[in-house]
Amino acid sequence: MAGMTGRRVVRVLAAAVGGAVVAGVVGGGAARLLMSLITIAAAEESTFTLGGTLGVLMVFAVLAAPAALTATAPAVVRVGGRWVTAALTGFGVASTGFSDGAAIILAPDSRMTLIAVLVVGFGAVVAAHGQIAQYASRRLAGDATRPAAAAPEPALA
């Protein structure tokens, strides 16, 4: 971080936290909606609680941290941060999102196409999760991501 002042470092870190929270709300909200729709499509009663929803949003915010922290880094590091976030989020979704597999397997045949589309939606959320975190982090960081500008050159007459 050569050339970064203390104020800039704090601003970039605050932007990373904000970006992770934004990605947690957007990605977690989308995931929670998809969870509810899959439950309904499997002919089950959807009984999600506010506490559970807040927990999902918080977990998605934590899982967005690698992408958010690498948002202002060079391109190769940014891509790595997104991959780490996608891997962590994907593993989390795969291990907990489909814990009620019996309900999905026993769902009416006529609803399997809808369930498959919703599962693909989970994949889209996982893929977009890190991208959202980095976009939000860069927007919140603003000019803190660019080196300090030199004095402007005088205009030619």
Side-chain angles (χ1 to χ4, degrees):
M1 286 211 235
M4 289 191 71
T5 65
R7 182 176 286 169
R8 266 175 145 181
V9 170
V10 169
R11 187 168 177 189
V12 168
L13 288 176
V17 169
V21 169
V22 168
V25 170
V26 173
R32 193 61 166 175
L33 176 65
L34 288 167
M35 288 177 208
S36 182
L37 291 174
I38 288 173
T39 302
I40 293 168
E44 298 286 324
E45 184 178 328
S46 179
T47 58
F48 291 113
T49 64
L50 177 62
T53 300
L54 293 175
V56 168
L57 299 180
M58 185 173 56
V59 167
F60 267 73
V62 170
L63 292 174
L69 289 170
T70 59
T72 59
V76 70
V77 177
R78 283 195 312 264
V79 171
R82 285 195 305 266
W83 274 104
V84 170
T85 293
L88 292 173
T89 305
F91 178 77
V93 167
S95 63
T96 61
F98 303 110
S99 61
D100 195 15
I104 293 173
I105 292 171
L106 297 174
D109 288 340
S110 62
R111 296 186 179 192
M112 286 300 174
T113 302
L114 174 60
I115 291 172
V117 168
L118 294 171
V119 168
V120 170
F122 265 110
V125 168
V126 167
H129 190 218
Q131 194 79 355
I132 294 166
Q134 288 186 343
Y135 177 79
S137 294
R138 282 193 308 271
R139 294 289 300 214
L140 291 170
D143 287 336
T145 61
R146 289 183 224 124
E153 294 183 24
L156 297 175

